[in-house]
Amino acid sequence: MKTRSEFIQNLNETPLWDIAIIGGGASGLGIAVDAASRGFKTVLFEKYDFAKGTSSKSTKLVHGGVRYLAQGNVKLVSEALEERGLLARNAQHLFKKQEFIIPNYKWWGGPFYTFGLKFYDVLAKRLSLGSSKWLKRETVIEALPTLMTENLSSGVSYFDGQFDDARLALNLAQTAVEHGATVLNYFPVSALNSTENATVDSIVVTDSETQEGYNIKAKVVINATGIFTDKILKMKDPTHKKTVIPSQGIHLMLERSFLDSDAALMIPKTSDGRVLFIIPWHDKVIAGTTDTLIKKPKIEPVPLQEEVDFILETINTFLTKKASRSDVLSVFSGLRPLAKPKKEETNTKEVSRGHKIIVDDNLVSIVGGKWTTYRKMAEDAIDTAIEHFDLPEVACLTKTIPIHGNTSDMIHAEHLKPYGSDLEAYTSLESSDPLYQQPLHPRYPYTNGQVIWAVRHEMARTIEDFLSRRIRLLLLDARAAVTIAPKVAELMARELNQTPAWQEEQVSQFSALAEKYILN
């Protein structure tokens, strides 16, 4: 991996880029991979860290969306199932085939959901992860030992994909770099410069670490900023009207004992008409999600009291082991960048998760979509850029491009799986110094060496980058993350040649952030 200074040198040495991307989340990074792999001179700028926003706070599912099928959106489900299959092949180190069980407490639930999920299987075609099947009552109880059994009639089992969202974002950044792209985190865009005919001539970016500014010229600028799409569009046109509806989804992290199963529980209809998942992940359990209309987007949204209560009440209806606020290890919130429909909706669960592309002179904006379809969104964005602007017609290659880290090797240690094909290099680093082998926390397997690796090879610049997105401890156990923050800051400061004052500021900032993940 190139160093940050080498990436910055590329900015000084490149007078004109083909594609300049604003936003380092799922869609922006996917676009960077697509553009660079087609041979376009590509640069990407992210204001914070890669996947700092919504893209690191998903339900961790790569799925067609059973509820979208119930809404009759067959096209979206079919497209998503194909993309799920491609990711299973191209990022094997991050992808997991996950069994889901729907418990039926009415006699008709068995045939109803079995029929629907058989259609789900058919839509997956050759990329199916396995057949759905009806389960008798005893089988459901055996598979889900903490499930409420009163009035339980039967169950239905089906398979979908699970992944680590922030790690996939990082690996996409690395893949883009391997294909020649320049990607920079902590590089906000502050202005769009336009010519007399309203074409964006250049974008103004600033290195947050040095405060040095750069004027970046590009043939096409792609706005992939998710919930902040309208903010960028207003830089070009102050009269721009809203195109994105932010919808908040929160998740609660609990100890594995609440589910005590390798299978996930899918509750097909909650009191608000949504589905709710209880899913094993990194030896914990994720319960979520909600769908709450939010008027003003924030990079760190805060869970609402009623959202937390809704999830706890719902899961306690279905589980024998009851969860309370004190059992929540971490609560994390993300905002979905839903494409605004023609008719204003207040019920966001009815708004399509499909994406759309807006072309305004040479500014291309992509809105909507979801993690599962990030690759197709990127393909559509670059195809649109080729169609409208002076770029050579080069076919998309990303269906077959392995994502950085892709390997079929079995890695049994859960905390090491995300390294994939980098594992040998990582373990070589860790074994090179006894300091690197020391654990960061007595209850978790993470080591000092992972901090060093994250700085040298994974573009981590802050302790939040490491604790939230290079390892996932902030999401898994926020209090534990706070306790090791000073140690992480000391290790990072040594690697980044930072001062004791920087360490103190980092710990203070991280502790304040972590408070939002802790229920008091």
Side-chain angles (χ1 to χ4, degrees):
M1 175 62 70
K2 287 184 177 180
T3 64
R4 186 177 181 85
S5 60
E6 287 173 320
F7 285 137
I8 292 172
Q9 187 176 341
N10 290 348
L11 301 185
N12 294 319
E13 294 176 352
T14 308
L16 179 65
W17 299 85
D18 293 320
I19 306 281
I21 302 158
I22 309 173
S27 55
L29 292 166
I31 291 166
V33 173
D34 190 297
S37 63
R38 297 198 207 198
F40 297 127
K41 284 188 285 187
T42 304
V43 63
L44 178 147
F45 300 103
E46 164 55 44
K47 182 177 182 178
Y48 304 103
D49 183 32
F50 307 116
K52 153 79 171 170
T54 307
S55 295
S56 62
K57 295 161 185 168
S58 73
T59 315
K60 322 305 178 196
L61 297 182
V62 188
H63 61 145
V66 172
R67 74 185 179 94
Y68 309 139
L69 192 61
Q71 293 171 3
N73 197 339
V74 174
K75 181 179 181 294
L76 177 63
V77 174
S78 181
E79 180 182 273
L81 286 172
E82 180 177 2
E83 293 302 318
R84 181 191 71 178
L86 294 176
L87 189 67
R89 185 175 66 200
N90 295 332
Q92 297 172 68
H93 62 303
L94 295 178
F95 187 95
K96 177 188 174 187
K97 183 173 88 169
Q98 177 65 58
E99 181 184 15
F100 291 78
I101 295 176
I102 302 174
N104 302 311
Y105 292 90
K106 305 284 186 183
W107 69 266
W108 51 262
F112 177 79
Y113 290 114
T114 300
F115 175 79
L117 287 165
K118 284 298 179 187
F119 186 43
Y120 196 63
D121 294 343
V122 169
L123 290 176
K125 303 171 190 170
R126 70 190 189 285
L127 296 174
S128 171
L129 297 178
S131 297
S132 58
K133 59 185 177 182
W134 176 85
L135 302 175
K136 60 183 181 180
R137 183 177 188 272
E138 293 76 14
T139 305
V140 176
I141 294 171
E142 184 179 350
L144 298 171
T146 63
L147 182 70
M148 293 288 286
T149 59
E150 186 178 353
N151 297 323
L152 180 68
S153 172
S154 63
V156 180
S157 164
Y158 72 98
F159 293 92
D160 241 325
Q162 186 183 54
F163 77 132
D164 189 317
D165 49 10
R167 293 296 305 189
L168 177 57
L170 171 66
N171 288 162
L172 288 173
Q174 293 168 317
T175 307
V177 170
E178 288 163 0
H179 286 272
T182 292
V183 299
L184 283 158
N185 52 358
Y186 298 101
F187 248 85
V189 173
S190 56
L192 306 180
N193 295 325
S194 299
T195 61
E196 288 182 3
N197 64 359
T199 299
V200 176
D201 177 61
S202 63
I203 61 176
V204 180
V205 298
T206 305
D207 183 347
S208 292
E209 296 184 0
T210 65
Q211 302 308 311
E212 186 169 352
Y214 300 83
N215 199 47
I216 305 299
K217 291 182 176 291
K219 294 177 183 176
V220 183
V221 177
I222 298 183
N223 173 16
T225 53
I227 56 173
F228 299 111
T229 298
D230 292 325
K231 186 174 181 181
I232 299 297
L233 285 168
K234 282 191 174 183
M235 287 183 184
K236 184 176 187 299
D237 177 9
T239 66
H240 165 76
K241 297 291 191 291
K242 183 169 70 170
T243 56
V244 173
I245 299 177
S247 165
Q248 179 160 293
I250 78 159
H251 300 81
L252 308 183
M253 195 70 70
L254 300 164
E255 292 290 0
R256 177 183 167 87
S257 58
F258 283 91
L259 186 65
D260 196 23
S261 175
D262 290 329
L265 172 61
M266 197 270 247
I267 300 165
K269 195 165 186 179
T270 62
S271 59
D272 75 343
R274 285 185 52 80
V275 301
L276 193 138
F277 296 101
I278 307 174
I279 310 167
W281 191 66
H282 285 294
D283 206 35
K284 305 289 186 192
V285 172
I286 298 175
T289 181
T290 56
D291 208 335
T292 308
L293 189 66
I294 300 294
K295 289 187 177 179
K296 190 172 182 181
K298 296 179 181 177
I299 190 63
E300 279 292 345
V302 178
L304 303 176
Q305 171 81 38
E306 53 265 36
E307 290 182 297
V308 174
D309 291 344
F310 165 74
I311 292 179
L312 288 173
E313 288 168 10
T314 302
I315 66 175
N316 285 340
T317 303
F318 286 87
L319 299 179
T320 56
K321 183 172 181 179
K322 307 304 180 186
S324 65
R325 293 175 67 89
S326 62
D327 294 309
V328 177
L329 299 170
S330 184
V331 54
F332 58 96
S333 312
L335 297 182
R336 306 174 189 89
L338 304 183
K340 182 178 179 290
K342 291 180 181 177
K343 182 180 178 183
E344 189 73 52
E345 295 276 0
T346 55
N347 190 352
T348 56
K349 70 178 185 290
E350 302 299 336
V351 179
S352 172
R353 269 23 173 198
H355 63 276
K356 64 182 179 183
I357 296 170
I358 302 165
V359 179
D360 184 3
D361 296 305
N362 68 329
L363 177 63
V364 176
S365 298
I366 185 159
V367 296
K370 57 180 188 164
W371 244 124
T372 303
T373 55
Y374 87 89
R375 192 212 62 81
K376 184 65 169 66
M377 292 165 63
E379 180 181 352
D380 290 351
I382 297 301
D383 283 349
T384 299
I386 290 172
E387 179 186 349
H388 286 82
F389 307 107
D390 185 25
L391 295 174
E393 292 189 24
V394 183
C396 175
L397 304 172
T398 54
K399 282 188 176 182
T400 56
I401 288 177
I403 293 165
H404 183 93
N406 186 42
T407 179
S408 58
D409 293 347
M410 288 294 293
I411 301 171
H412 297 290
E414 190 73 30
H415 73 295
L416 296 178
K417 284 180 181 178
Y419 293 116
S421 60
D422 284 336
L423 182 59
E424 185 177 348
Y426 168 70
T427 52
S428 177
L429 170 76
E430 187 178 88
S431 62
S432 69
D433 189 329
L435 173 67
Y436 298 166
Q437 298 160 36
Q438 293 177 11
L440 285 166
H441 192 284
R443 293 200 314 274
Y444 292 94
Y446 308 113
T447 64
N448 292 346
Q450 289 180 271
V451 182
I452 308 304
W453 178 269
V455 174
R456 293 183 186 176
H457 303 285
E458 296 179 344
M459 298 178 276
R461 309 298 296 176
T462 71
I463 60 176
E464 181 201 334
D465 296 348
F466 177 74
L467 288 169
S468 182
R469 290 173 293 277
R470 302 309 184 272
I471 65 173
R472 310 310 306 275
L473 192 58
L474 178 60
L475 274 62
L476 293 167
D477 189 335
R479 290 179 179 84
V482 170
T483 63
I484 64 170
K487 188 185 297 186
V488 173
E490 182 183 350
L491 290 163
M492 290 189 78
R494 192 178 307 166
E495 283 294 307
L496 294 169
N497 296 316
Q498 293 287 2
T499 63
W502 179 89
Q503 291 182 52
E504 289 180 18
E505 184 181 12
Q506 280 287 303
V507 172
S508 175
Q509 289 177 355
F510 181 77
S511 299
L513 172 71
E515 280 299 313
K516 297 178 181 179
Y517 291 70
I518 296 171
L519 292 181
N520 296 312

